[in-house]
């Protein structure tokens, strides 16, 4: 990967956090990976962080502040909105209503989390490769 920006993972399930962490490690991802258990912790980090993350990978269903609420807050915050952070849902919750709600908020992807290690590796590789190569306002144009 060319970008060294952090990858934010917002996931309340510790087993899923470990699963994602191991999949990223097996892919030799050099970017720092920052985990949060809910949207409240993530929004506090995003407001305080000077650099924009490469991508946010967020679960939908979480305590305190779920992924939908987090995305809405990012869109309402002018500072965060200007950071143009790619936002992707990576979740086990997949129904037409949730997908419609998510895309009405201009997210950049909605993925049903793969349950096998190889499937998750492939899914994460696809997502991260795309955002690493995609030009967007946070890209380095050197």
């Amino acid at each position: 990967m060319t970008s060294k920006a952090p990858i934010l993972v917002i996931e309340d399930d510790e087993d899923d956090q470990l699963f994602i962490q191991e999949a990223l490690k097996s892919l030799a991802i050099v970017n720092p990976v920052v985990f949060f258990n809910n949207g409240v912790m993530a929004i506090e980090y995003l407001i305080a962080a000077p650099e924009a993350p490469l991508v946010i990978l967020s679960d939908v269903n979480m305590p305190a502040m779920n992924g939908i609420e987090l995305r809405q807050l990012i869109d309402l915050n002018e500072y965060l909105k200007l950071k143009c952070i790619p936002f992707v849902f990576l979740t086990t919750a997949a129904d037409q209503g949730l997908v419609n709600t998510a895309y009405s908020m201009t997210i950049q992807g909605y993925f049903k989390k793969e349950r096998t290690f190889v499937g998750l590796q492939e899914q994460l590789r696809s997502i991260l490769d795309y955002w690493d190569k995609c030009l967007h306002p946070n890209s380095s144009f050197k």
Side-chain angles (χ1 to χ4, degrees):
M1 299 198 66
T2 57
S3 171
K4 301 298 183 242
I7 298 164
L8 269 56
V9 179
I10 305 145
E11 170 62 64
D12 64 315
D13 185 288
E14 289 182 13
D15 289 336
D16 282 350
Q17 283 186 9
L18 183 60
F19 196 44
I20 292 167
Q21 186 174 32
E22 290 301 313
L24 291 170
K25 186 186 294 182
S26 73
L27 294 171
I29 300 298
V30 297
N31 303 62
V33 181
V34 184
F35 285 90
F36 298 100
N37 293 323
N38 61 59
V40 172
M41 297 168 63
I43 201 86
E44 290 171 354
Y45 172 89
L46 288 166
I47 289 170
E51 85 172 314
L54 173 67
V55 65
I56 295 172
L57 303 174
S58 179
D59 191 9
V60 171
N61 297 316
M62 296 174 290
M65 180 189 299
N66 66 40
I68 300 289
E69 294 165 331
L70 171 62
R71 181 60 195 184
Q72 289 170 333
L73 274 180
I74 289 171
D75 281 344
L76 291 173
N77 183 299
E78 286 302 316
Y79 172 71
L80 294 179
K81 193 173 180 178
L82 288 174
K83 283 187 171 185
C84 300
I85 306 163
F87 193 103
V88 175
F89 281 111
L90 182 63
T91 184
T92 55
D95 67 56
Q96 191 66 54
L98 275 175
V99 171
N100 291 348
T101 298
Y103 276 101
S104 72
M105 298 183 299
T106 66
I107 63 162
Q108 286 71 48
Y110 196 111
F111 294 84
K112 185 171 181 181
K113 198 179 306 164
E114 293 288 340
R115 299 313 304 165
T116 68
F117 190 73
V118 170
L120 183 63
Q121 282 178 309
E122 291 171 1
Q123 196 171 48
L124 289 169
R125 169 61 66 202
S126 295
I127 294 167
L128 297 175
D129 278 349
Y130 177 85
W131 286 109
D132 184 52
K133 292 172 177 56
C134 179
L135 293 179
H136 54 86
N138 298 327
S139 299
S140 174
F141 289 93
K142 296 177 186 172

